[in-house]
Each structure stands twice: as C-alpha cells, then as structure tokens.
Amino acid sequence: MLQQLSTAILNSVSVDELAETPRIWDDISGQELNIEWVKKARAEEMKEFKKHNVYTKVPIEECMRETGNKPIGHRWVDIDKGDRNQPNYRSRLVAKEINVCKRDDLFAATPPWEAFKMLVTLFMTVGVGIQGSNRMSMAFYDVRRAYFHATVRRNVYIDLPEEDWEPGMCGRLNKSMYGTRDAAQNWEHEYCSFFASMGFERGRSSTCIFYHESRNIRVVIHGDDLAVLAWDEELDWFENKIQERYEIKITGRMGNKSGGIDSVRLLNRLITWNGLEVTVEADPRHQEIIVKELGLQDDSKGVATPGVKRERNAGIAIENQTMYRSLVARALFLSMDRSDIVYAVKELSRNMSNPDSEDWNDLKRLGRYLHHRPRVLQVFKRQLAPRNIDVWVDTDFAGCLKTRKSTSGGIVLYGDSVIKAWSNTQKCVALSSGEAEYYGIVRGSAMGIGIRNMYEDLGVVVGIVVRTDASAAKGIASRRGAGKVRHIEVAQLWVQEKVSSGEIKLIKVSTIENVADALTKHVSGDGIMMHIEKAGMRVVTGRSGMALRLQE
C-alpha cells in the first residue's frame, strides 16, 4: 500500500463539462471509480486522522513564522485494491511536499523480495521450520495506517482538508502523513524502536529483517506488511505485543494445525499452502495485460520459448514507444518470480529508450510465450537443511552482436528452492571467454554473499558454493593475482581471496546440467523446460481462485 501511494501522482478528479458531475479515477489503474464508494472511503480516512490525532489546528501565521513558507498542499489518492467482483476502495489524503532540496539523510530501507522467499524456504526446511512431527507457522499481518503511528521529528504544516477546513488555520503534524518526504523514515524509526524493545536483533545485511534468538521468531517487514515465522505460542506472544502498540489486520497463519489459512496475497504475489508444499505465483494480471495489449486472442498461436536469437538488423521507428516501455516494465515485475523469461526481458529492457520495430517483434514473441505458458509457479517443498546455498553461473561470451558485450546470468538455490535469478549485460567488453566467464563468477559470488548474509540475519548459517561450467574462469578464480590476464581490474580479483580462504567453494559442472544456461542466451523449448524443472518451478494451467481480475 505504501509503495502504491508513493508512486500515485496523477490527478484523480475531473469535471464533466456537460453534466458538471465530479468523476474520480483510480490513481493506479486509471479506471473510473464509484463516487459514492469513494466518498465513504474518504470519510473513513478523515475518521482515522482524528482518531490518531495526525495534526493539530494552528494559525497559518505560526507556519509562516516557523518555516518561512506557506502550508504544504494535499490531494486525495483513491484506488480500488480489489476488482469488479470484490471492490476494496482505499482513499488516502496525501501531502504534496515538493523535493526542493537534497537531503542525504532521507532513507528508508525496503527488503528485497527474496527475503520473503527465504522465509518460505525456512518454513519448509527440516531443522528450522520443521522439527520432528511439529512445524512452525508463518503468519501475515498488515499495520493499519502505519504512518499515523510514527511521530514527526520536524515541524511540518499542511493545508486543512475541505472536510475539516477552518478559516485562517492550518494543520501542524503530530504524526507522519503520506506524501511528506520523511514519512517512510519516521515509520522505520518507529518500528525499529518497537522491535528493539521486544528483544529483536535488527539485520545487518537487510535492516528490514528482525530475529529474536531466544524466542526463535523471524520477521520480514515491507512498509506496513509483515511476514513472521515462529512457533504458535511465540506468535501468540508477538500478536499480543504488536496489538498493544499498533492497530493491525491479522491475515492469518499458514501451517497452523488448528486451522489457519492456505493462501494469501503478499505484495500482490499469490502464496498457497496445501499441507505438503508452498507455491508462489506472480500477479497474473501482468501477464494478462501484456497479452491483451499485444492483441492476442484465446485462439492466437503460442510459442515454446520467450525469444529466439536473430541477426540484429536496423528496425524502423515505432509510434507506440510508450506502450513498449509499459509492457516491458510489467514483464520486469513478472520476471522477478519467473526465471524462464529473465533473459528475454533483459534483452527487451536494453532498448527501452528508443525501441524500434525489431524490438517490438521481440516483445510480441514474449507475449506469445506468455500466452502459451501463462502460469509458472515457484515450488517450495519439504527439504533437509542444506549446508550451503548453491549459486549457478553462466556467461555468453560476446553474445551481443551490436556491442560484442557478454551476458552474465545466475540463479541462487537454497536446497531445491529458488531465491533469486538474474541476467545482466557486462559493462566492459571481455577479450576472451575465460575473462567473461570470470566476471560471471564475480557477479555470482557477490549475489551469494548477499543471500548468505540475509540468511545469517534470519539466524541461519550457510556456506557458499559457486557452480560454473567454465574451466578457464575457475582457474582464474582459484589462483592469486592477474597472471596472464593482466588487463583485468584489480578490484575484480577479490573473489580469489574468498576462494583461497574457503569462504566460497568453486565447483566445475557440465554445460548440460548448468541451471543458469537459460539466463544468458535464448535456448530451445526443451532447454526452457529443463530450466523450469531444475529451478524448482512448475507449469500449471487455469487461473488461481484468489487472483484478482482485470478491471474492464
């Protein structure tokens, strides 16, 4: 919710010149909203303002005296978080504080999506979330009006809303308000103080991870959304504590023997638990919008691969560049949970600034693949606690026909569960395949260290194994110094020290078994299916029952 509000900047109200009837639009989807439902949502927001004492009315002269400026303006942000069948209107009064000066101290941490997936892997791991015949529960919470719990740490004045207007007066904020520059930072300061008071240790790698060692509670927080892994009695303690401080919505517990939930929407992902395994699915609306905007019908022909390698010919300019960027951006969101399209989306993203007809054809190819294979789930099965995380890396040397730059790709697995996948064009032109593959090992090692550190934040110690199919690159990483590749930057040689000390273990694998092969080049349909299977994913048909519908 907080992320949506921070990006909603379009005007939401217009007046029909003929009927002079106010019309209100969804700030996220652009769909017209029911004005009566919006009024009800806005009234609820003003009720919350008063309940939390968000501001105190003071003369406007005080604002001018303290800040030298007029009070900050505001606007309403109205969205429907549901769909036509299950509307869920939310209205937020948002301040319009303009970024007039640079402040390096303004920062609020956000956990990477893989932090939540790591929590799921621990939920399914014997020795952590499973001990004997008992298992922990994974609970989900939403802090209502999170910013209203965060005390302001500077003087901020706002114009009074029409619903609470009084001549000559403005509002001096007591609590943080959406749209003020430091609202997210104030909320972070508030919840960190709260968790510290309960005995939690804040993560060092990701400061949105909290671990209570004596009670064995693990928490990942994203804005106002919390995911918690613990034993049921400890969750009872946690819920009592957090309800004493905040007003929260308890979505439910997954894995609870006495009932609980079997599915939840978290950051618009669909998480499902059937008693044996957990599946995670990207928001299906991204796939549906891409297919719809590209004009594909139910009977349109699909393809078995998201892209094909082709000679790079100069295309002609296209008029719908904005649509191209919009659809590729959606594909980027989708690729965070579908590694089968990561490389194809990376290639499409390289030409976002000035796409041509060739890029459009590649986008249509991706659309046909998504039409053919709309649902690919990440599957998290019961597993023994692995000693290491496995980082599979691969590189396609000089694969870009235009720049002759190489592509590095990789995937991180905790046991059989995917944590993260990536595909990146290397910044420099490698002079040999060994050099290019070494850069791929460097990238993979950095990713592995980051994931390992977050597991340590969650109270789990693991090693790092990097698997590569490149003998020359493994040789460079296993020795000390540049050797014959003297042109390699010294800054890239840090991996040698990690390998020498045993912090990172390198293992040579065959190209056929390399899971990362599909992340550096376009492969055949069989190659894509092999990647899906080895990466612990599953192709399914139909549509999830808890998935939201597209607004018509």
Side-chain angles (χ1 to χ4, degrees):
M1 181 64 190
L2 302 183
Q3 187 177 13
Q4 289 175 324
L5 287 172
S6 65
T7 57
I9 58 173
L10 301 176
N11 291 328
S12 61
V13 181
S14 66
V15 177
D16 188 310
E17 294 181 356
L18 296 178
E20 295 185 354
T21 301
R23 303 177 68 185
I24 302 177
W25 310 92
D26 190 307
D27 282 85
I28 302 299
S29 69
Q31 301 292 324
E32 186 171 1
L33 299 176
N34 183 301
I35 190 169
E36 295 302 322
W37 292 352
V38 170
K39 288 180 180 179
K40 184 177 179 180
R42 291 184 178 183
E44 177 65 24
E45 176 74 349
M46 292 308 302
K47 182 179 178 181
E48 294 291 333
F49 261 72
K50 294 183 182 299
K51 182 173 73 174
H52 291 278
N53 190 29
V54 174
Y55 60 77
T56 298
K57 290 183 181 180
V58 297
I60 294 177
E61 288 78 7
E62 178 180 324
C63 171
M64 298 297 293
R65 182 177 65 252
E66 294 293 330
T67 68
N69 295 301
K70 297 186 298 183
I72 298 169
H74 56 73
R75 63 177 294 265
W76 282 102
V77 172
D78 307 290
I79 63 173
D80 182 4
K81 295 191 69 177
D83 55 23
R84 292 293 185 187
N85 297 327
Q86 296 176 311
N88 182 15
Y89 278 37
R90 300 286 182 88
S91 293
R92 296 290 184 265
L93 187 63
V94 178
K96 297 192 294 185
E97 186 173 18
I98 308 301
N99 182 0
V100 294
C101 62
K102 182 178 180 181
R103 285 185 56 186
D104 293 331
D105 63 311
L106 282 180
F107 173 79
T110 302
W113 169 238
E114 49 263 29
F116 288 98
K117 292 198 286 186
M118 291 162 66
L119 206 64
V120 175
T121 63
L122 298 180
F123 174 67
M124 295 300 298
T125 298
V126 175
V128 185
I130 303 172
Q131 295 186 12
S133 60
N134 299 317
R135 72 152 44 254
M136 291 182 174
S137 293
M138 190 160 52
F140 302 92
Y141 308 98
D142 181 5
V143 180
R144 299 188 72 249
R145 305 303 199 282
Y147 285 177
F148 293 176
H149 295 282
T151 304
V152 295
R153 295 186 290 168
R154 63 187 175 100
N155 287 332
V156 183
Y157 298 83
I158 63 164
D159 285 329
L160 293 176
E162 181 181 349
E163 293 82 355
D164 195 28
W165 186 78
E166 188 174 330
M169 305 294 282
C170 65
R172 184 184 65 225
L173 292 186
N174 304 313
K175 300 297 178 63
S176 297
M177 181 177 174
Y178 301 103
T180 53
R181 294 183 64 195
D182 54 357
Q185 184 183 58
N186 292 340
W187 166 237
E188 179 182 333
H189 184 270
E190 161 61 29
Y191 71 70
C192 286
S193 174
F194 169 65
F195 278 107
S197 69
M198 292 196 297
F200 281 87
E201 182 178 350
R202 189 180 188 183
R204 291 180 296 176
S205 177
S206 175
T207 54
C208 296
I209 293 175
F210 295 86
Y211 178 52
H212 198 302
E213 184 175 5
S214 62
R215 292 185 177 272
N216 205 11
I217 305 176
R218 298 169 174 87
V219 181
V220 178
I221 180 169
H222 184 289
D224 53 4
D225 294 307
L226 286 79
V228 185
L229 178 65
W231 298 107
D232 282 327
E233 55 270 22
E234 299 300 344
L235 284 174
D236 293 339
W237 172 83
F238 179 81
E239 287 181 9
N240 289 333
K241 286 292 186 180
I242 196 171
Q243 286 178 312
E244 291 175 2
R245 183 97 165 215
Y246 309 120
E247 184 178 355
I248 65 169
K249 174 185 175 183
I250 302 175
T251 305
R253 298 183 186 181
M254 192 172 285
N256 190 309
K257 290 184 178 181
S258 60
I261 59 174
D262 56 12
S263 61
V264 65
R265 279 199 302 271
L266 179 65
L267 303 182
N268 285 331
R269 273 84 167 187
L270 313 180
I271 303 177
T272 304
W273 157 251
N274 64 6
L276 298 176
E277 63 185 23
V278 176
T279 61
V280 176
E281 180 180 0
D283 186 346
R285 291 176 295 181
H286 290 307
Q287 177 269 337
E288 293 166 354
I289 290 174
I290 293 171
V291 170
K292 178 181 177 181
E293 293 296 328
L294 290 175
L296 299 175
Q297 306 297 325
D298 291 341
D299 58 352
S300 296
K301 183 180 179 181
V303 293
T305 62
V308 292
K309 186 174 182 178
R310 63 177 72 183
E311 293 295 328
R312 183 65 191 178
N313 300 316
I316 60 176
I318 58 175
E319 296 181 357
N320 48 356
Q321 291 190 0
T322 300
M323 179 183 289
Y324 178 92
R325 298 185 186 104
S326 174
L327 296 183
V328 173
R330 289 191 179 277
L332 278 169
F333 278 109
L334 199 60
S335 68
M336 294 175 67
D337 300 287
R338 290 190 55 170
S339 61
D340 57 319
I341 65 172
V342 164
Y343 175 72
V345 175
K346 186 270 292 187
E347 287 294 289
L348 292 170
S349 302
R350 296 183 65 195
N351 302 304
M352 291 273 271
S353 62
N354 189 29
D356 58 26
S357 57
E358 291 292 305
D359 300 316
W360 185 259
N361 289 335
D362 291 339
L363 177 59
K364 290 176 66 176
R365 171 84 188 195
L366 175 63
R368 291 188 180 278
Y369 174 75
L370 294 175
H371 178 62
H372 170 68
R373 194 167 286 155
R375 296 182 67 196
V376 177
L377 311 183
Q378 297 176 83
V379 182
F380 299 84
K381 297 182 178 180
R382 178 188 176 107
Q383 62 181 4
L384 297 176
R387 294 183 178 180
N388 305 293
I389 55 172
D390 286 310
V391 185
W392 297 76
V393 296
D394 189 37
T395 300
D396 181 38
F397 172 56
C400 177
L401 300 179
K402 183 178 180 180
T403 64
R404 287 303 175 185
K405 290 183 178 180
S406 305
T407 294
S408 297
I411 188 167
V412 181
L413 300 176
Y414 179 77
D416 297 324
S417 304
V418 178
I419 303 300
K420 183 177 181 62
W422 69 91
S423 180
N424 302 99
T425 302
Q426 294 181 359
K427 294 183 178 180
C428 63
V429 178
L431 302 185
S432 67
S433 60
E435 179 188 349
E437 294 277 7
Y438 175 73
Y439 293 147
I441 290 177
V442 172
R443 175 75 171 176
S445 299
M447 289 290 188
I449 290 174
I451 298 296
R452 179 205 62 187
N453 291 344
M454 283 196 289
Y455 269 115
E456 290 182 354
D457 288 344
L458 289 167
V460 177
V461 177
V462 290
I464 303 172
V465 173
V466 176
R467 302 178 185 272
T468 176
D469 57 11
S471 298
K474 181 175 180 293
I476 296 174
S478 299
R479 61 174 180 249
R480 302 300 293 270
K484 294 183 178 180
V485 283
R486 294 187 177 92
H487 58 283
I488 291 182
E489 294 288 341
V490 174
Q492 300 289 338
L493 299 179
W494 61 268
V495 172
Q496 295 179 343
E497 181 179 347
K498 300 294 184 182
V499 173
S500 177
S501 67
E503 184 176 343
I504 294 176
K505 183 179 180 180
L506 286 176
I507 295 180
K508 172 72 167 61
V509 298
S510 67
T511 301
I512 297 177
E513 65 176 321
N514 194 341
V515 185
D517 189 51
L519 299 171
T520 60
K521 63 184 75 70
H522 292 302
V523 297
S524 65
D526 290 340
I528 285 291
M529 283 306 303
M530 183 183 72
H531 171 81
I532 289 174
E533 293 171 2
K534 288 186 175 182
M537 299 187 292
R538 179 185 301 152
V539 177
V540 296
T541 58
R543 196 175 194 276
S544 172
M546 67 170 176
L548 296 176
R549 296 283 178 180
L550 283 178
Q551 301 280 16
E552 298 296 335

